[in-house]
Structure formats: structure tokens, C-alpha cells
Amino acid sequence: MAKQPFPLSDVYGLLEPGPVVLLTTGSGGRTNIMTLSWHTMIEFEPPLVGCVLSNRDYSFDILRESGECVINIPTVELAEKVVACGNTSGREVDKFTTFGLTPVDAELVSAPLIDECHANLECKVVDDRMVNQYGFFILQVLKAWIDPLRAHPRTIHHLGKGAFMVAGETIRLPSKMK
Amino acid sequence: MAKQPFPLSDVYGLLEPGPVVLLTTGSGGRTNIMTLSWHTMIEFEPPLVGCVLSNRDYSFDILRESGECVINIPTVELAEKVVACGNTSGREVDKFTTFGLTPVDAELVSAPLIDECHANLECKVVDDRMVNQYGFFILQVLKAWIDPLRAHPRTIHHLGKGAFMVAGETIRLPSKMK
């Protein structure tokens, strides 16, 4: 998939609607993919993103040690693989090979991009003060990539217990909001 | 609208998909409504929610002073009012009367519920350590209400600059995820 750089100032529009994301980490030969829905924008520019990982997640220690990750945004075509990533641990399986996802080298971080996702955000940890208590990492997006051919990506949004809302129609209203 | 109490253990399913919410505050006779998309679940139970307010928002000081708010979840029928709330300041208008929204007394907090919203979460601030730097408040949901007649609420999800994705179909996949 031929991706293009995406303006950092527009990253909020990818994450504000609350899609399920696949977070990739990589450190010292270990890479992993985890499924994650607990994230929020924190600042527009430079874009800061907060996300919650459990200290039981295999990715938790890799993220702490490496200080880097990629937020990959999948669409409904990948829904079964997204759930499979959420139902397994990187301690037991290599999720890239097991689920047929393609790692691609990032430009600025050691964690890989997932080629099949329509957007990828290369991130570094900039604040870990809330990690011990809440598992809450604050990330800065350093570089963003998007597939320019997907004008209306049908992202998926977790409703709990394996139910997902699929992105529907887009409406536009006169707004002064960014 | 006849609302019923909703289990606190299921609150995550309302917020994980990333809907635009209307945050209400009330303190000393001042009430306000603000439109907000920057929120995330932090913990399942008791449910903790993180959300970002700007210190330029009229609601910011009210939330700091009162330590209480309600997260109200609107559906697409309210989209124009949601945008109107986002485009105005409570310093200048009473948004309840101006936009025809109905305040209802909450059970446990001083901020009002918005009757027209399909779900309402009464919250108190439990951690404000990240407020000065990021405007990030951590809230505990004390009581949740839902309209039992709306099985498939068509929530709206901000894509930026007045564009909103409307919740589409729901798919179900076998999952061990909560």
C-alpha cells in the first residue's frame, strides 16, 4: 500500500472519532501488536495522544523500555484480525506471522507500521507519570502516514464483548470547531 | 424521557466507541454545557474516565471549583444543538434555554443531566494532577442512566471541522475481550 505523509496538524481527525487501533511496539528483536480502544487526543500540535495499557499486556513492558510505538488504524476489512490480536498474547504468538499482517519499517521509531492499516502514527512516549497508577501513557505523534486512496475509511468502534460499531455516513454542519 | 439506572460495570461500552459528548457543569447558580470529544476510559470498575478541557473553556473553572459534572451522550437527532453548544460560550449565553435543552436534576452531583441525551453519567473529579499541564481531568462515574427504548443509539463522532461520522451498523465477532 502506497502511503503518503499526513499533516501532524490533522491527526486529531483520525483519533477523535474513537476507532479501535492496533498499537505496535518493538524493542531488541521483540515486536508485538495489541488491540486498544482506550485513547484520547490531548493536544492538537504537536499532536499528543493519551492511551491506557494494562501492566499485564505484553506490550506494556516493551513500550516502557523502548519509549516508542506506532498507532495503526484498521478498517472493518481487518475486523477479524483485530479481534484475534486482542484475544492472544505476544508472549505466545508472533501476531504478524500468525494473523498475516505485514510489518513495514517506520521512519522515526523502532516499532513497525502495519501495512494493511489505512493510517499509521509513529509515536514516542513523552510523559509516563501516570503509568504506574493508571497505565496511562502520553505519546507525541512524530510522523503520520495515510493511504490517500481511502477517502472514507470504515473504522470500527468497540461497544464491548465483541460488538463493534462500523463507521456510517458522514454529515457536515457549519462549525467554528477545529 | 424515562431513564433507567445502567450498571456501572457496562459504562465502558458507552464511551469506548468515541462519541461526541456534552459535558454539563453547575456550581453556585452557574450551569453550562460544553461539547467534547477528547475522552477515554481509564478503568472498568469503578469506571474512571479521562477528559481534556481547555482552560479557556467556561466549563473549566466550574469543573475545577465544583469537582462534579455529567457526561451526556447525544445522538444524531441532536447534532445541530451539539455543534451550537460547541460554537458558543457559556459566558455569553445560557445554552439550555438558547438551544432548547432540558436540565434534569442529577441524583448524586450538582450538575444537571440533559434530558434529550440517550445516556447520562454522573461524575466527580478524582484526580486533577494533570490539569495544569494538559487540562486532563480524571473522573469517576458515580451513577449512570440510560434510555432503555434506544437499543441502537446513532451516536456522532467528530472527524474535524464540523464533519461527523454517524454510527453505522453493528457487527459481532467471537471475542474474549471485555
Side-chain angles (χ1 to χ4, degrees):
Chain A
M1 180 186 300
K3 299 247 176 73
Q4 291 183 353
F6 185 69
L8 292 181
S9 56
D10 289 345
V11 161
Y12 74 96
L14 299 174
L15 292 180
E16 270 194 39
V20 177
V21 301
L22 295 170
L23 186 124
T24 47
T25 43
S27 171
R30 293 190 297 172
T31 59
N32 196 31
I33 307 173
M34 75 170 282
T35 301
L36 186 152
S37 281
W38 290 12
H39 59 78
T40 178
M41 288 300 299
I42 300 269
E43 185 52 84
F44 285 109
E45 213 173 348
L48 300 182
V49 180
C51 65
V52 179
L53 281 75
S54 164
N55 60 13
R56 297 181 300 278
D57 293 323
Y58 183 61
S59 297
F60 184 92
D61 289 335
I62 309 181
L63 181 57
R64 271 220 138 160
E65 288 164 25
S66 67
E68 297 179 342
C69 64
V70 178
I71 297 173
N72 305 273
I73 307 179
T75 44
V76 67
E77 298 80 9
L78 295 176
E80 292 188 1
K81 296 183 181 196
V82 169
V83 172
C85 285
N87 283 344
T88 51
S89 169
R91 287 185 191 88
E92 285 142 30
V93 293
D94 178 320
K95 301 192 194 179
F96 280 102
T97 54
T98 305
F99 304 124
L101 294 167
T102 311
V104 174
D105 283 349
E107 187 172 298
L108 299 174
V109 302
S110 56
L113 314 180
I114 299 176
D115 194 36
E116 288 81 2
C117 289
H118 88 96
N120 315 86
L121 311 175
E122 302 185 22
C123 300
K124 69 172 179 185
V125 177
V126 291
D127 193 329
D128 64 0
R129 281 176 291 170
M130 304 293 260
V131 170
N132 283 342
Q133 189 169 356
Y134 301 109
F136 189 70
F137 293 82
I138 298 185
L139 311 171
Q140 179 180 339
V141 181
L142 305 173
K143 180 97 190 181
W145 301 95
I146 203 160
D147 177 357
L149 298 180
R150 298 229 227 154
H152 299 288
R154 298 184 70 212
T155 49
I156 57 176
H157 301 253
H158 194 224
L159 301 169
K161 305 180 178 83
F164 297 85
M165 176 272 281
V166 183
E169 63 175 323
T170 298
I171 59 173
R172 287 169 204 284
L173 294 167
S175 172
K176 291 185 285 186
M177 291 189 285
K178 192 169 180 180
Chain B
M1 180 185 305
K3 297 250 177 73
Q4 292 182 353
F6 185 70
L8 292 181
S9 57
D10 289 344
V11 160
Y12 74 95
L14 299 173
L15 292 179
E16 270 195 39
V20 177
V21 301
L22 295 171
L23 186 123
T24 46
T25 44
S27 172
R30 293 190 296 171
T31 59
N32 196 32
I33 308 173
M34 75 170 282
T35 300
L36 186 152
S37 283
W38 290 11
H39 59 79
T40 179
M41 289 300 297
I42 299 270
E43 185 54 83
F44 285 107
E45 211 173 351
L48 301 182
V49 180
C51 66
V52 179
L53 280 75
S54 163
N55 60 13
R56 297 181 301 276
D57 293 323
Y58 183 62
S59 296
F60 184 93
D61 289 336
I62 309 180
L63 181 57
R64 271 222 136 160
E65 288 164 25
S66 67
E68 296 178 343
C69 63
V70 177
I71 297 173
N72 305 273
I73 307 180
T75 44
V76 66
E77 298 80 10
L78 295 175
E80 291 188 2
K81 296 183 181 194
V82 169
V83 172
C85 284
N87 283 342
T88 51
S89 170
R91 289 186 190 89
E92 285 140 31
V93 294
D94 178 320
K95 300 191 196 181
F96 280 102
T97 55
T98 305
F99 304 124
L101 294 167
T102 311
V104 173
D105 283 349
E107 186 173 299
L108 299 175
V109 301
S110 56
L113 313 180
I114 299 177
D115 193 36
E116 289 81 2
C117 289
H118 88 97
N120 314 88
L121 311 175
E122 302 185 22
C123 300
K124 70 173 178 184
V125 177
V126 291
D127 193 330
D128 65 0
R129 282 176 289 169
M130 304 294 259
V131 169
N132 282 343
Q133 189 168 355
Y134 301 109
F136 188 71
F137 293 81
I138 297 184
L139 311 172
Q140 180 180 340
V141 181
L142 304 173
K143 180 97 190 178
W145 301 95
I146 202 158
D147 177 357
L149 298 180
R150 298 231 225 152
H152 298 288
R154 297 185 70 213
T155 50
I156 57 176
H157 301 253
H158 193 225
L159 301 168
K161 305 180 178 82
F164 296 86
M165 176 270 282
V166 183
E169 60 173 328
T170 297
I171 58 172
R172 288 171 203 282
L173 293 167
S175 174
K176 292 184 287 186
M177 291 189 284
K178 193 169 180 181

